[in-house]
Amino acid sequence: MATVVAGYGRRTVGLLLLLCVVVIWVGSSFLVSNLFGEQEYNRPFFITYLNTSTFSFYLAGAYITYLRTGPCSQLAPRKRSQSDDDAISRANGTSDSTGAADVVSTPRHRQPAAESELHSRNRSGEEVLLVDVCEDEAPAGDVTAQPKLTVRETVRLGVAFSMLWFAANVSQNASLAYTTVASSSILCSTSGLFTLVIGALGGVETFNAARLTAVLASILGVYCIMEYGSRETDALAMPLSWFGDILALLSAALYGGYTTLLKRQIGDESRLNTPLFFGAVGLANTLLLWPGFILLHFTGIETFQLPHSGSMWAMILVNAFVGTFLSDYLWLLSMLMTSPLVVTLGLSLTIPLSMAGDIIFKGLAVSLPYYVGAALVLAGFIGANL
């Protein structure tokens, strides 16, 4: 019963973190819209690169943690109990009479907690266990808990995530240059369907009729909001809209891919050194993607130009440190505490909230389908949590 209560509490925290992310991303979208529109600073690659590079500052937190905890070499004595004997026997597939002498040596990061314990005797002759107190190991006596990811595994995962995350964001931003905001938003909302399918194939999501209905309701809601909710129409035809639509779909597929990758590789947030992970993401982005500036500049796709005013720098830095540095940290914790599908459908709430902001602050006129679409998006999010 206590485990069930703890599970619900953990999920509730994850949903609260998700709502914080939604609010932050809505505010961030208004900042970016102002930069691209009123400020006439349409530099999606530069902004995405700067945003992701801020993750490098998490390395400072990882280093401070290392200095505080030290290397994983400290051993603390603990009296051996019958449960320890049983756990060691189960881990080695032997009976209780076999004892600890038959423990087979395996690589440390693959050992159950019971196998990584060393045996000794205290001065009174009682057998004790030397328990590794490093935070990278599972709690004492918990043979089912998985060990934390090693530094190499964390860095490797961070580099892979960095490439997928950057490609997804650049694809979404680039799609706006070729297709309408409505089409891009609708197609990007199919990330819920990609997340469900890829997650089911990866073993981190359950594919059933209820979840499929929730995803389809969310997509239909986004369609109603973007296609019929606003009276605003596009003045110019976009002959390459098909290319923008492909980029938007690519962004949705990449999102489904990297969320599933993280959930499958990490599982529980306690296994991940989060500052080290995001630090690796930021460092990989900084070191590997800077040639993109040269390529885009000389091809004329995006000429390199720094912001030319203090207000523009202020908006860009606020967007970077709040809209990305903080919000993505909360997003990752939320995804690990709930599921990739729940987070994906929850982030669809940014669309009706963004439209609500336009209604309140810009006087945008909307029709009935907007409210129907907002209700469908909310219903899809609730349905995924049932």
Side-chain angles (χ1 to χ4, degrees):
M1 182 64 181
T3 303
V4 174
V5 173
Y8 276 113
R10 182 169 171 270
R11 189 178 184 86
T12 300
V13 172
L15 293 176
L16 291 175
L17 292 177
L18 177 58
L19 291 178
C20 291
V21 174
V22 168
V23 173
I24 292 174
W25 281 15
V26 170
S28 177
S29 68
F30 280 101
L31 280 178
V32 174
S33 175
N34 184 272
L35 283 170
F36 286 179
E38 297 179 15
Q39 302 293 331
E40 297 182 352
Y41 189 74
N42 191 0
R43 301 291 186 276
F45 185 88
F46 174 81
I47 291 177
T48 306
Y49 181 87
L50 180 63
N51 288 350
T52 315
S53 296
T54 60
F55 289 149
S56 302
F57 289 101
Y58 278 113
L59 288 175
Y63 183 66
I64 292 173
T65 300
Y66 172 80
L67 293 178
R68 179 171 54 83
T69 60
C72 303
S73 60
Q74 298 179 353
L75 295 175
R78 178 171 61 86
K79 184 176 179 180
R80 179 172 175 176
S81 64
Q82 180 62 37
S83 62
D84 294 319
D85 292 332
D86 297 339
I88 295 172
S89 298
R90 289 195 301 272
N92 289 278
T94 61
S95 61
D96 292 343
S97 61
T98 304
D102 294 330
V103 174
V104 179
S105 177
T106 58
R108 171 178 176 146
H109 68 278
R110 294 181 180 177
Q111 289 181 339
E115 291 185 67
S116 65
E117 295 171 337
L118 304 178
H119 305 270
S120 182
R121 293 184 179 275
N122 58 20
R123 294 182 179 178
S124 63
E126 291 181 270
E127 188 172 12
V128 298
L129 297 176
L130 294 178
V131 184
D132 191 344
V133 298
C134 173
E135 64 179 1
D136 286 351
E137 296 297 330
D142 186 1
V143 297
T144 61
Q146 293 180 303
K148 295 188 70 171
L149 298 180
T150 64
V151 172
R152 177 175 296 181
E153 291 170 336
T154 302
V155 171
R156 186 180 302 165
L157 182 62
V159 172
F161 171 79
S162 175
M163 299 299 105
L164 291 173
W165 188 92
F166 195 91
N169 281 268
V170 168
S171 297
Q172 181 181 4
N173 290 333
S175 70
L176 297 174
Y178 300 99
T179 189
T180 62
V181 174
S183 294
S184 176
S185 300
I186 293 167
L187 293 173
C188 285
S189 71
T190 60
S191 59
L193 185 59
F194 283 106
T195 301
L196 178 60
V197 174
I198 298 174
L201 294 175
V204 299
E205 292 287 358
T206 302
F207 191 97
N208 53 42
R211 290 200 155 197
L212 179 60
T213 301
V215 170
L216 295 179
S218 179
I219 296 175
L220 179 60
V222 173
Y223 176 80
C224 290
I225 292 171
M226 304 307 299
E227 194 69 15
Y228 299 107
S230 174
R231 299 171 191 245
E232 184 179 5
T233 59
D234 295 306
L236 299 175
M238 309 187 79
L240 293 178
S241 61
W242 60 271
F243 182 62
D245 293 342
I246 291 176
L247 289 175
L249 280 174
L250 175 63
S251 175
L254 288 171
Y255 179 89
Y258 72 65
T259 52
T260 301
L261 169 70
L262 291 179
K263 187 67 175 181
R264 181 175 176 82
Q265 294 296 322
I266 301 172
D268 188 273
E269 70 277 0
S270 62
R271 298 188 62 224
L272 181 68
N273 184 334
T274 308
L276 178 61
F277 169 75
F278 275 113
V281 172
L283 190 60
N285 173 87
T286 304
L287 297 179
L288 300 178
L289 298 178
W290 64 265
F293 286 110
I294 301 175
L295 177 64
L296 295 177
H297 180 79
F298 285 102
T299 56
I301 298 176
E302 181 180 318
T303 56
F304 182 78
Q305 180 185 9
L306 292 174
H308 50 74
S309 69
S311 61
M312 290 177 61
W313 272 114
M315 286 189 289
I316 290 174
L317 292 178
V318 168
N319 178 63
F321 283 99
V322 179
T324 300
F325 183 82
L326 173 62
S327 68
D328 277 51
Y329 188 96
L330 300 179
W331 167 85
L332 177 61
L333 293 180
S334 175
M335 189 271 293
L336 295 176
M337 290 180 178
T338 56
S339 76
L341 181 61
V342 169
V343 170
T344 302
L345 296 185
L347 292 178
S348 296
L349 295 173
T350 59
I351 296 176
L353 286 179
S354 297
M355 292 285 289
D358 285 335
I359 294 172
I360 296 172
F361 298 109
K362 297 183 180 180
L364 181 68
V366 297
S367 55
L368 179 62
Y370 162 78
Y371 300 100
V372 175
L376 286 172
V377 171
L378 182 59
F381 174 63
I382 294 175
N385 283 279
L386 296 179

